[in-house]
Amino acid sequence: MKPRAWGLTIFSALVFAFLYLPVLTLIVYSFNGPGVGGFPPRDLTLRWYGMLLEDDALWNSVLNSLTVAAAATAIALVFGLCAALALDRVPFPGKYVFRRLVLLPLILPGIITGLSLLMLFVVVGMKLSLLTITLGHGTALISVAATEILAGLQKFPRSLEEASLDLGASQWQTFWRVTMPSLRLPIVSSALLIFTLSMDEIAVSFFLLGRENTLPLEIWSRLRRGITPEINAISTIIFAFSLVTIGAWYRLRRTDEVVLPEG
Amino acid sequence: MYGRAYKTAVALPPVAWVAAFLLIPYAFLFCYSFWSVSGQNVVHEWTLVNYRELLHSSMYGSVMARSARIAATVTLLSMLLGFPLAYYISFHCSRRKELYQLVIIPLWVSYLVRAYAWKTILGSDGVLNSLLQFVHLSHEPLGFLLYSPLAVLITLTHIYVAFAFLPIYASLEHIPRNLLEAARDLGASGPRMFWTVIFPLSLPGVIAGATFAFVLSLGDFLSPLLVGGPSGIMISNIVVSLFGAAFNWPLGAAVSLCLLLVVLAILWVTERLQHRLTFH
C-alpha cells in the first residue's frame, strides 16, 4: 500500500543521525580515557564517573535544581490549574490580555523575561537567590499547566459536575471528587514537563542567580573555564534518568487510558 | 452553575500573580528603556537617549541584522530537515509512534550540554577533526569549524529542528486520509497529490514550526557564546553584556524592547497567516 521511497528513507535516516550525533558523542566520551575529543575513543574508563562522585559542588547544584524544579512545579500547577478553570468558565475583564500574557514567557526570548524579573526584584529590594529563580521558573511555566489542563477541561463533560451538584454535593466536594480526578492526566503530564523544563532552564536563571548555582548554571560556569569529561558523565546520568522517567510516564498513561477510555 | 465565590477563587489568584510577576516586570522593562544611566546610578527621568544611541551607533543595527540572518538560516535548515522527516514518519512509515518518540528523545538532553557536545565535535582537537585525520582525509585540524557563524548555525539547527518538526508533524497527522484516496481515485499522480493536497494542508504547521525556530533562535545567547566566537555574536549577547560588565541597564532595556517588538510583530503576522491558511 505504501510506496517505498528510498530517497526519503535515507534522508530521514541522515536527519536522525544528525539529531543523535551529539547525544552519542556525549555518552561515548564520558567513558573516554584521555578525556574529551580525539578519535577513536580509547582506554575506556569509569574515572570521570568516579570524579563525579566526589564532586560536592556539582551534587549541591543538582540538589538546588531539584528543589527549584519541585517548588516551581508546585507554583505553576496551582496557578495554572486556577488559570485553566478561570479561562474555561469565568468571564472576567482583561481575559484576552491575560491569556496572551501567560503565554509570552514561552515564546519570548528567555532573556527578556529574565531581565524583566531582575528589574522587579531589584526595585522591590529582594535579594537574588534560589527563591527568585523559583519564582521566575514558576511564573514562566504557568502556561504549560494552563494549556494542558484547559485542553483537558474542554473535553470534560460538565454534566458530571451538574449531576454532582444536583445530588447535593457542595461546590468544594464536586471540585475534589468530580473535577480533579478527571484532570489527573493533564496535571501529571504537565507536572512532568514543567519539572523537566525547569531542570534545564538557563536564560531566566542566568539573570536571577544568587550565590547558589542550579545545575545548568554550574555546568555553564565550568564550560567557560574549559571542557571537562565530568560534564559528559553527569549529562549521561541525567539522560538515562530522563529516559526512565519517560518510560514510566508512558506506562502510567497506558494504564490510565484503559481505566478512562474517553481520555 | 458556578457561584461567585468559586469564580473569584479561581480567577483572582492567577490574574494577581501574572500581573505581579509578568505584567509589572515587562512594564519595568519599558520604563527602564526610557531612563538613563549616570555613573553607577540609574537616572529616573524620561529620555530618548537610549533610542538615539541605537539609531546612531551602527553596531546595534548590524548585530540585529546578523541575528536575523542567522535565525532565518536556522529556520530554513530546520524546515529542510524537519519537513521531509515529518512527512516520512507520517506517510511512509509503519512505526510512527516509535519514530516520533525518537525525534523527541534528544530534547531530554540539556540544551547546554548538546551545544557543548557540538563544541567537542567541531573543535580543532575535537572528534570531527581527529576523525578526518584518522582516515587521512586531512593532515591538519580544520580551524574554521568551531568559533564561527557556521558552528552557531549547526548548533542552533540541531536544537530547533525538533521544534520545527513537531507542529509540521501534527498538521500532517491531521490530514484526513480519505482526501488522499479521493485524489488518487480522481487520477492525481504522487507529486501532484503532494503539491495540491498534502502541502497546502500542512502550511499552518509549517508556519508554526518556522515561527518557533525563528523566534527562539533569534533571541538565543548561549550557543553564540559557546561555539560562536567573536564573529558569531548575536543581539542577546549584547543585552547580556549591557546588563553585566557594561552596566547600562537602560540601554540594555531599550535593545530588549526592540527585540520584544520584533518578536511580537512576527507572532502577529504569522498568527494571521496561519488563520488564513487553515481550512475551517
Side-chain angles (χ1 to χ4, degrees), chain A:
Chain A
M1 172 195 124
K2 277 167 189 162
R4 277 269 145 249
W6 286 111
L8 192 61
T9 311
I10 292 166
F11 184 83
S12 303
L14 288 176
V15 178
F16 272 116
F18 173 66
L19 284 176
Y20 276 87
L21 179 66
V23 181
L24 293 178
T25 311
L26 174 83
I27 296 172
V28 168
Y29 281 84
S30 74
F31 298 104
N32 190 34
V36 180
F39 190 89
R42 56 185 177 274
D43 308 333
L44 297 187
T45 171
L46 286 172
R47 182 153 62 109
W48 311 119
Y49 289 87
M51 266 174 80
L52 201 61
L53 283 180
E54 290 158 21
D55 194 333
D56 290 339
L58 199 64
W59 288 111
N60 195 29
S61 73
V62 172
L63 197 65
N64 288 341
S65 270
L66 290 172
T67 317
V68 167
T73 306
I75 293 175
L77 274 187
V78 169
F79 290 100
L81 174 65
C82 290
L85 289 166
L87 288 172
D88 187 52
R89 35 187 76 163
V90 184
F92 59 92
K95 191 165 173 175
Y96 176 81
V97 178
F98 173 76
R99 196 182 193 131
R100 292 293 161 126
L101 200 59
V102 171
L103 281 172
L104 272 186
L106 279 194
I107 193 74
L108 284 185
I111 63 162
I112 293 182
T113 307
L115 57 89
S116 302
L117 281 165
L118 171 67
M119 291 170 180
L120 172 77
F121 293 134
V122 166
V123 169
V124 301
M126 200 163 152
K127 251 181 94 178
L128 296 182
S129 65
L130 289 181
L131 176 65
T132 49
I133 295 185
T134 306
L135 291 172
H137 287 191
T139 308
L141 296 170
I142 287 177
S143 60
V144 175
T147 333
E148 285 257 330
I149 296 172
L150 184 61
L153 274 175
Q154 281 166 349
K155 278 189 273 175
F156 166 71
R158 256 186 229 190
S159 50
L160 290 181
E161 286 180 333
E162 278 161 22
S164 158
L165 292 171
D166 282 351
L167 292 170
S170 70
Q171 210 134 45
W172 186 246
Q173 285 170 323
T174 304
F175 177 75
W176 283 109
R177 295 195 191 166
V178 179
T179 320
M180 278 300 269
S182 63
L183 293 176
R184 189 175 49 183
L185 203 61
I187 288 176
V188 176
S189 65
S190 54
L192 277 173
L193 193 55
I194 292 166
F195 193 89
T196 330
L197 289 173
S198 165
M199 283 293 289
D200 192 29
E201 211 288 329
I202 186 154
V204 171
S205 325
F206 191 85
F207 290 95
L208 303 179
L209 178 72
R211 275 207 316 246
E212 297 267 325
N213 265 347
T214 61
L215 177 64
L217 288 167
E218 177 72 26
I219 293 179
W220 173 249
S221 69
R222 287 173 188 226
L223 289 185
R224 307 225 66 190
R225 275 182 260 144
I227 288 177
T228 115
E230 255 189 284
I231 304 292
N232 288 21
I234 183 94
S235 308
T236 304
I237 294 177
I238 291 174
F239 182 53
F241 192 74
S242 315
L243 286 185
V244 173
T245 318
I246 323 177
W249 157 234
Y250 271 95
R251 290 193 69 135
L252 178 84
R253 204 159 90 161
R254 202 162 297 157
T255 47
D256 218 279
E257 269 162 6
V258 176
V259 183
L260 279 170
E262 281 163 293

